[in-house]
Amino acid sequence: METLIHNPLTRFLIQAFLIIACARLVGLIARKLEQPMVIAEVTAGILLGPSLFGWLFPGPSAVVFAQESLPLLKLVSEVGLIVFMFLIGLELDPKLLRGRGHASVIISHTSIVVPFALGGLLALYLYPRLSDSSVPFMSFTLFMGVAMSITAFPVLARILTEKRLLRTKVGALTITCAAVDDVTAWCVLAFVVSIARATGLVGAVWTTLFAVVYIGGMLFLVRPFLARLGERGASKEGLSQDLVAVTLLLLIVSSWVTEMIGIHPLFGAFMLGAIMPKSTGFAKSLAEKLEDFAVVFLLPLFFAYSGLRTHIGLLNSADGWIMCGLIIVVACVGKFGGSAVAARLTGLRWREASALGILMNTRGLMELIVLNLGLDLGIISPKLFTMMVLMALVTTFMTSPLLRWIYPPEELAKELADVPDRTPLPVAAEVFTVLMCVSYERTGPGMVTLASALAGRGPEARRLYALRLIPPTDRGSFYLDQGPDRQGTTALSPLLSRAKELDVEVRPLSFVSPKPSHDICNVADVKQADLVLVGWHKPLLSQTVLGGTVYEVMRCARSDVGVLIDRGLSAVRKLLVPFHGTAHDRAALALARRLAQQVGADVTILHVVNPKRRADDAIGAQETVDEVFEGEEGGALRKAKVTLKVVHHESPADAALEESARGYDLVLVGVGSEWGLAQRRFGIRAEHVIQGCPTSLLVVRCYEPAAVPAPAPAPSQPMLSTALTAGPDRT
């Protein structure tokens, strides 16, 4: 091993490779557990430290992470922290702190005061056991209070987005309180650091005065300059390298000034990012240039450095683990209890108040930054540092499972899909509801063309929803500004434009979804959809169209599902329905019958008979078609032409393809093996009918509750008659 490491640069490159690779591998597990990436990065850092790697392989660990190499690792990680704190400042929009009402003020102040007070009380117990006389008791107490009060704003923003809570009342209130907490806690921490670094009372006073002067200069001198810089960066020339260089120079100067004052370079980086103008695209463009390198390369180095300083072996006694458990309990009681009770007193329901308390208890990265500051300044010991790191891990890890328990997906779907129906309906009105799930922009126009034809022309009897689900992003910044509303509007624009041409009202829905199939089914339940319309796409690692998310929706949705393969559908005038008699075929036939009612579409029903069998189905075919025009809705159906066509062919799928080439606007076919269409999670060859059909195709799956018996046998002529004369909405 030592022969491979012949200079400091080589050692650093090997360290960086191991750190980033381990963080990404653990990240795969974290994503499976629905945990934020910070959990993986912190865990990876601990695994590479003496707690595991150094314990299992002491020789290689001592060579790769030799003591003489740690100063370089620390230096690079601190540079990454400075850049990251600048990004956090960019992410913090001052508009979040205005106009949120008294509730956010009460909750945010309570979520600072209560854990701070409990941290101070805990310090009375921990100081004689985990500290010594060289550490001033006031500094220790204030630091414990701040450490208990921290909320990880960037991690919280990511969790809120991934859990689709950002647009809810709880999410908006939580992110506001977290922003206030972040600013307050960092200001208090700056005061604590200045006291810890000061040589006496006079030094502390001078540090405070210099800090006030620095803040005033940043607000009244630097911010106007940044505003002009932002306007230039938002112009048509865009963000040039010169502007990036000027910004980085300001970042270096701001960090250097706060270091000289006696606070810490991180505060200067955070302050510069916080006063950066957010109204233009300058801050967003700047973050995009810096974020990936800082988050993917530099931050894991900081986590690894923190992991190298975390010695779980120091907790080698029952007393040590009891004190660690006490720290975790006090942290949860202070942050969760204070936030939840304050939220309940301001009028929130217990479910909402509990969710807010769970979210505010998230610490993650920000806690680690604070703890490393405390360890560097000598305020806390390595043993207490290890306990506090475990506390940060536990409080962050518990957020997602507790949130799922408090806010189950069904309850969340009700809030996210709560779009008021602006058109009042008569009490007896029969409403046909279509939920259109748009994954790609190109599928929108065809979907709304079909949905509007199915729902009919009367606005009092139709409900059309366009759902756009946005996959969660790894980006840490600008969740709040570049939210699902803006992304959803962009993706749904072609659909909404087509709906305007058709004079049809469509209600758009959009939110972030890590599990799109679950959310589609939940929204369909909430909206009581008669039909879930899914756009065609080819899933990853699969050659089958009816796989992936489409497969999950077909399997789990409690309503009929249609998969539209759009090949330029602009009108619904001439329909082909291949019919073999299954429940899915009957559902496709029911949709065709509804189209005949609503828009007068011509329907051709293709019944394929195996030539080796008797063709009794052909007898009385015309009489069966005539039966369609009888009954209560016969007048509406007489506007359409319904034709029953019986053909003899050994392959139903090939017969359907041959007939589809005769100039149809849309082919409606039930999912089933007889047409070469099977629901499957994965597949190795594309469906024959889907690939060969020259026109637009709608693959229909009928909702069959568990109580429904097995599919009926091959159709006879009376079965066709029953399917044709069934109601328009359900068969």
Side-chain angles (χ1 to χ4, degrees):
M1 178 69 74
E2 292 184 358
T3 58
L4 299 176
I5 305 175
H6 55 274
N7 59 48
L9 178 60
T10 305
R11 190 190 305 271
F12 175 76
L13 292 176
I14 293 175
Q15 291 173 348
F17 175 83
L18 290 175
I19 291 167
I20 296 172
C22 186
R24 290 290 132 179
L25 288 175
V26 180
L28 296 176
I29 302 175
R31 287 193 177 96
K32 292 292 184 182
L33 298 176
E34 299 184 22
Q35 293 292 331
M37 188 63 187
V38 66
I39 287 287
E41 292 165 336
V42 175
T43 305
I46 293 176
L47 295 179
L48 290 173
S51 299
L52 184 66
F53 183 56
W55 175 55
L56 295 176
F57 309 101
S61 176
V63 173
V64 175
F65 297 103
Q67 288 296 320
E68 62 270 17
S69 70
L70 296 186
L72 176 60
L73 186 63
K74 177 185 178 182
L75 181 64
V76 178
S77 68
E78 286 184 341
V79 172
L81 277 186
I82 289 173
V83 177
F84 186 72
M85 287 302 296
F86 173 66
L87 291 172
I88 291 176
L90 286 179
E91 184 178 278
L92 185 63
D93 193 344
K95 290 186 294 186
L96 289 173
L97 311 181
R98 297 195 300 264
R100 289 296 187 181
H102 72 284
S104 60
V105 175
I106 294 174
I107 297 170
S108 60
H109 283 69
T110 306
S111 64
I112 286 285
V113 173
V114 173
F116 193 96
L118 290 179
L121 291 175
L122 183 63
L124 294 173
Y125 173 77
L126 296 178
Y127 183 75
R129 294 167 175 82
L130 298 175
S131 189
D132 55 62
S133 58
S134 63
V135 179
F137 176 72
M138 178 176 290
S139 298
F140 184 85
T141 303
L142 291 175
F143 180 83
M144 288 300 298
V146 172
M148 292 294 176
S149 304
I150 284 291
T151 293
F153 179 83
V155 178
L156 181 60
R158 182 170 296 175
I159 291 175
L160 283 172
T161 306
E162 291 179 354
K163 300 300 180 184
R164 294 98 69 203
L165 281 167
L166 196 57
R167 297 173 60 206
T168 64
K169 180 181 178 180
V170 172
L173 194 58
T174 303
I175 203 66
T176 304
C177 296
V180 175
D181 277 19
D182 219 31
V183 174
T184 306
W186 280 103
C187 291
V188 176
L189 184 61
F191 177 72
V192 174
V193 172
S194 66
I195 290 178
R197 285 187 166 185
T199 55
L201 181 60
V202 176
V205 171
W206 278 111
T207 299
T208 304
L209 289 176
F210 283 136
V212 172
V213 173
Y214 161 77
I215 293 173
M218 293 293 286
L219 292 176
F220 298 107
L221 296 178
V222 179
R223 189 162 74 166
F225 173 74
L226 290 175
R228 292 193 293 270
L229 201 68
E231 292 175 358
R232 183 175 178 182
S235 64
K236 62 181 180 180
E237 288 83 7
L239 188 63
S240 65
Q241 291 186 355
D242 290 337
L243 288 177
V244 175
V246 171
T247 306
L248 291 178
L249 288 174
L250 289 173
L251 174 61
I252 293 170
V253 171
S254 180
S255 301
W256 175 72
V257 169
T258 52
E259 171 68 16
M260 293 298 295
I261 288 174
I263 309 177
H264 198 279
L266 295 181
F267 298 101
F270 176 77
M271 187 68 186
L272 183 69
I275 65 173
M276 191 71 68
K278 308 298 194 301
S279 57
T280 63
F282 176 69
K284 177 178 179 295
S285 301
L286 190 63
E288 289 176 346
K289 284 184 175 291
L290 300 176
E291 189 172 39
D292 286 338
F293 181 70
V295 171
V296 175
F297 183 79
L298 295 177
L299 266 188
L301 301 182
F302 166 73
F303 290 123
Y305 180 69
S306 300
L308 293 172
R309 308 172 87 182
T310 303
H311 298 258
I312 296 180
L314 294 175
L315 308 182
N316 54 3
S317 65
D319 289 342
W321 285 106
I322 289 173
M323 284 187 283
C324 182
L326 181 62
I327 290 172
I328 295 173
V329 170
V330 171
C332 294
V333 169
K335 204 68 178 177
F336 168 79
S339 303
V341 172
R344 183 69 181 94
L345 292 177
T346 58
L348 269 67
R349 297 177 299 158
W350 271 119
R351 182 194 296 274
E352 297 170 332
S354 301
L356 187 144
I358 291 168
L359 288 163
M360 293 295 288
N361 196 37
T362 304
R363 287 174 173 85
L365 169 63
M366 306 305 290
E367 182 75 15
L368 241 62
I369 295 174
V370 172
L371 295 178
N372 275 275
L373 281 177
L375 188 59
D376 289 337
L377 295 171
I379 299 176
I380 59 175
S381 63
K383 188 173 184 178
L384 180 56
F385 175 83
T386 299
M387 295 177 181
M388 298 292 282
V389 168
L390 292 177
M391 180 271 289
L393 269 176
V394 170
T395 55
T396 306
F397 184 86
M398 70 189 342
T399 301
S400 292
L402 286 179
L403 202 58
R404 172 173 282 274
W405 179 58
I406 292 293
Y407 251 100
E410 297 78 13
E411 181 72 19
L412 199 54
K414 291 179 182 178
E415 289 199 25
L416 294 172
D418 186 18
V419 177
D421 296 328
R422 294 178 290 274
T423 306
L425 291 176
V427 176
E430 183 180 350
V431 183
F432 190 81
T433 303
V434 181
L435 176 65
M436 298 171 284
C437 307
V438 181
S439 179
Y440 298 101
E441 296 180 19
R442 64 177 183 269
T443 62
M447 274 190 181
V448 75
T449 299
L450 176 59
S452 63
L454 282 168
R457 297 297 180 186
E460 71 282 351
R462 67 186 176 209
R463 288 285 182 266
L464 303 182
Y465 298 97
L467 177 63
R468 164 64 173 169
L469 298 179
I470 303 162
T473 175
D474 287 333
R475 305 201 70 86
S477 298
F478 295 94
Y479 273 127
L480 310 182
D481 181 53
Q482 305 297 323
D485 286 329
R486 184 172 301 182
Q487 298 181 46
T489 301
T490 301
L492 295 176
S493 293
L495 184 148
L496 297 176
S497 298
R498 178 62 176 157
K500 188 175 181 181
E501 294 174 4
L502 297 172
D503 193 24
V504 173
E505 182 185 14
V506 175
R507 296 162 175 80
L509 301 168
S510 62
F511 51 86
V512 174
S513 172
K515 294 184 176 180
S517 59
H518 291 73
D519 286 323
I520 289 172
C521 296
N522 286 332
V523 173
D525 287 345
V526 171
K527 294 303 181 184
Q528 298 180 345
D530 296 282
L531 177 68
V532 177
L533 203 54
V534 184
W536 166 78
H537 71 286
K538 187 172 289 185
L540 185 65
L541 302 178
S542 174
Q543 293 298 314
T544 175
V545 174
L546 304 181
T549 299
V550 173
Y551 166 82
E552 293 294 339
V553 173
M554 283 187 158
R555 186 174 66 90
C556 301
R558 292 187 291 184
S559 57
D560 291 352
V561 179
V563 183
L564 178 63
I565 295 89
D566 182 17
R567 295 189 170 97
L569 182 66
S570 58
V572 183
R573 295 181 298 265
K574 192 174 180 182
L575 310 176
L576 173 65
V577 185
F579 190 84
H580 200 266
T582 66
H584 306 302
D585 287 349
R586 293 196 296 273
L589 191 59
L591 291 177
R593 184 177 187 275
R594 183 174 181 89
L595 290 170
Q597 285 180 241
Q598 301 297 331
V599 296
D602 295 340
V603 181
T604 298
I605 304 166
L606 180 71
H607 181 46
V608 183
V609 179
N610 193 311
K612 296 179 181 179
R613 298 179 181 178
R614 295 178 61 187
D616 295 337
D617 289 340
I619 302 174
Q622 188 59 50
E623 289 80 356
T624 303
V625 174
D626 291 338
E627 290 179 11
V628 178
F629 297 96
E630 301 300 330
E632 297 179 2
E633 297 174 350
L637 288 173
R638 286 191 184 93
K639 300 177 182 178
K641 178 183 177 183
V642 180
T643 305
L644 176 63
K645 192 171 185 178
V646 180
V647 298
H648 296 77
H649 205 290
E650 294 183 356
S651 171
D654 289 337
L657 285 178
E658 292 174 7
E659 182 63 28
S660 66
R662 294 187 171 93
Y664 293 94
D665 295 316
L666 180 67
V667 177
L668 298 91
V669 59
V671 66
S673 58
E674 63 276 0
W675 308 114
L677 301 172
Q679 304 173 60
R680 66 193 82 178
R681 190 183 300 272
F682 297 105
I684 58 174
R685 60 189 292 257
E687 292 88 347
H688 180 47
V689 170
I690 292 176
Q691 296 298 320
C693 185
T695 187
S696 296
L697 181 71
L698 183 69
V699 181
V700 181
R701 186 231 63 173
C702 176
Y703 170 52
E704 296 178 287
V708 174
S716 62
Q717 194 63 34
M719 181 182 294
L720 262 179
S721 174
T722 303
L724 286 170
T725 56
D729 296 344
R730 286 287 185 270
T731 58

